[in-house]
Amino acid sequence: MQILAIETSCDETSAAVVENGSKILSNVVASQVEFHRKYGGIVPEVASRKHIEVIAAVVNQALADAKISLKKIDAVAATYGPGLVGSLIVGLNYAKAIAYALKKPFIAVNHIEGHIYANFLVPNPKSLVPEFPFVCLVVSGGHTQLILVKDHGKYETLGRTRDDAAGEAFDKVARFLNIGYPGGPVIDEMSKKGDPKAIDFPRAMMDEGYDFSFSGLKTAVVNYVKRNGMPKKLPDLVASFQQAVVDILVEKTIKAAKDKKVKWIALAGGVSANSRLREDLKRRAKEEGFEVSIPPLNLCTDNAAMIGSAAYYLIKKGKKSNLDTEAVSTLRI
Ligand code: KG4
Ligand code: ZN
């Protein structure tokens, strides 16, 4: 089964063709990052306008790369939330229009569920596909959640952030330090030249279940700079901040995996592109005897292939969405 999937929940316009939920035939991602950089963050109105400008070309490119015509597509999928509503409706309506015109099934996919399914795509060798039940840490610019994945489509949220998402903390700290946008990749790169033990930033809520809090850590960075001035060795500061985020994420994930007695841990979402997080989670999982699944970098950040994979498993469970499905900006898993 070949699914055309579309993802426009935030600032990436993406379309993909995915076969049987695992094989990527194409995955086109048009990033808007250049248009938002001068504002230091995503401007929703700019994002939706840019999606409209490029959606047709992105979908056509995905079909061309997959060497498939629209008529041969078995189903059409799109993200319907969570995300920016003006962005979501562009991809959602485009997908619904194609499904309606071609009389093909339409599948609306939750963006967070999509991120989890990056772990089921082929570049991740088959042997590394996680076995149910597994604990998945979903960390992105908008979400930080620990999810127990019991089966395809069966989720239990164990914990979530009470304030900022992990990616948001990276982006806000980078903006405060004026070191570039988006903050995650900039801090990741700069941290490689720094000492992560230089400054002992707080690790909030370590002993309080599976919820997270990152806004205090961001404030701790701001207060440190206000008290001591900009450090001579900025990489030490950002590496110490990054290590605090990573320690919280990794230790809570390991704790959840132990408590839930699972064999597998999976990682998902834009922040899972972070090199330190990937390294530390792999090491700690090995120490504790867990198998770990980490998607390749291009499948960690927003892309439509992950939506195509999630849609396949929804169809297999007999799910189909109505063409009047609306975008839900605050959708939960
Ligand atoms: O999943 P994603 O592409 O979009 C959302 O659904 O939010 O995640 C984007 C987030 C941004 O906050 C970005 O700074 C962060 O992922 N990010 C990273 C890295 N690459 C992207 N954070 C830390 N280290 C990275 N290497
Ligand atoms: Zn995302």
Side-chain angles (χ1 to χ4, degrees), residues 43-92:
V43 182
E45 178 66 21
V46 173
S48 49
R49 281 166 189 259
K50 291 289 163 196
H51 283 309
I52 291 169
E53 280 172 25
V54 301
I55 184 83
V58 167
V59 171
N60 290 341
Q61 190 63 51
L63 293 165
D65 288 357
K67 298 186 178 54
I68 192 168
S69 72
L70 260 187
K71 284 191 185 124
K72 293 250 170 67
I73 291 292
D74 298 293
V76 187
T79 307
Y80 75 112
L84 302 169
V85 82
S87 290
L88 286 164
I89 56 174
V90 178
L92 181 63

Side-chain angles (χ1 to χ4, degrees), residues 7 9-12 42 82 111 115 138-143 165-171 181-189 242 268-278 297 300-303 306:
E7 151 67 42
S9 67
C10 197
D11 63 337
E12 258 104 26
I42 296 163
H111 181 76
H115 271 305
V138 184
V139 262
S140 71
H143 316 277
E168 200 178 346
F170 272 99
D171 296 339
Y181 169 85
V186 176
I187 289 178
D188 191 352
E189 210 37 52
Q242 174 178 273
V271 180
S272 47
N274 184 268
S275 56
R276 193 66 191 218
L277 175 60
R278 297 167 83 88
L297 293 183
C300 288
T301 43
D302 289 350
N303 68 89
M306 66 189 198

Side-chain angles (χ1 to χ4, degrees), residues 112-120 130-139 144-150 154-160 210 212 249 252-254 256-257 260 262 264-269 272 281 291-295 333:
I112 298 172
E113 186 170 15
H115 271 305
I116 295 172
Y117 274 88
N119 287 283
F120 289 85
E131 286 166 24
F132 299 111
F134 63 89
V135 163
C136 186
L137 172 69
V138 184
V139 262
T144 299
Q145 243 171 288
L146 263 173
I147 299 170
L148 179 65
V149 185
K150 297 174 176 172
K154 278 190 151 178
Y155 311 102
E156 181 188 333
T157 298
L158 303 173
R160 54 164 52 93
Y210 307 122
F212 302 90
L249 294 173
K252 293 227 174 206
T253 306
I254 296 284
K260 297 295 163 186
V262 297
W264 279 82
I265 292 172
L267 197 52
S272 47
L281 185 65
E291 302 283 349
V292 63
S293 167
I294 302 181
I333 197 161

Side-chain angles (χ1 to χ4, degrees), residues 94-290:
Y94 203 85
K96 288 197 291 192
I98 295 174
Y100 177 75
L102 297 177
K103 299 189 175 58
K104 305 273 169 152
F106 168 67
I107 322 293
V109 176
N110 180 315
H111 181 76
I112 298 172
E113 186 170 15
H115 271 305
I116 295 172
Y117 274 88
N119 287 283
F120 289 85
L121 289 161
V122 142
N124 186 350
K126 267 275 178 274
S127 61
L128 286 183
V129 170
E131 286 166 24
F132 299 111
F134 63 89
V135 163
C136 186
L137 172 69
V138 184
V139 262
S140 71
H143 316 277
T144 299
Q145 243 171 288
L146 263 173
I147 299 170
L148 179 65
V149 185
K150 297 174 176 172
D151 198 349
H152 288 296
K154 278 190 151 178
Y155 311 102
E156 181 188 333
T157 298
L158 303 173
R160 54 164 52 93
T161 182
R162 295 198 185 162
D163 39 58
D164 290 351
E168 200 178 346
F170 272 99
D171 296 339
K172 284 180 175 170
V173 164
R175 195 180 317 157
F176 169 72
L177 298 172
N178 207 11
I179 53 175
Y181 169 85
V186 176
I187 289 178
D188 191 352
E189 210 37 52
M190 191 183 272
S191 295
K192 289 175 185 159
K193 291 174 237 127
D195 173 9
K197 293 200 180 107
I199 306 159
D200 188 19
F201 286 122
R203 273 82 169 144
M205 297 176 63
M206 276 304 234
D207 303 314
E208 291 173 55
Y210 307 122
D211 277 355
F212 302 90
S213 168
F214 292 106
S215 101
L217 176 56
K218 176 195 65 197
T219 309
V221 173
V222 172
N223 288 344
Y224 180 90
V225 172
K226 280 189 181 154
R227 252 195 331 266
N228 305 291
M230 241 353 159
K232 268 204 209 89
K233 237 188 130 201
L234 200 51
D236 281 353
L237 176 78
V238 296
S240 302
F241 158 76
Q242 174 178 273
Q243 193 61 51
V245 176
V246 168
D247 284 351
I248 297 164
L249 294 173
V250 169
E251 290 316 316
K252 293 227 174 206
T253 306
I254 296 284
K255 178 177 164 19
K258 277 185 185 167
D259 291 351
K260 297 295 163 186
K261 299 186 172 53
V262 297
K263 206 172 127 198
W264 279 82
I265 292 172
L267 197 52
V271 180
S272 47
N274 184 268
S275 56
R276 193 66 191 218
L277 175 60
R278 297 167 83 88
E279 228 170 80
D280 284 11
L281 185 65
K282 263 187 230 161
R283 181 180 45 79
R284 287 288 292 123
K286 199 170 174 202
E287 281 168 10
E288 301 287 348
F290 296 110

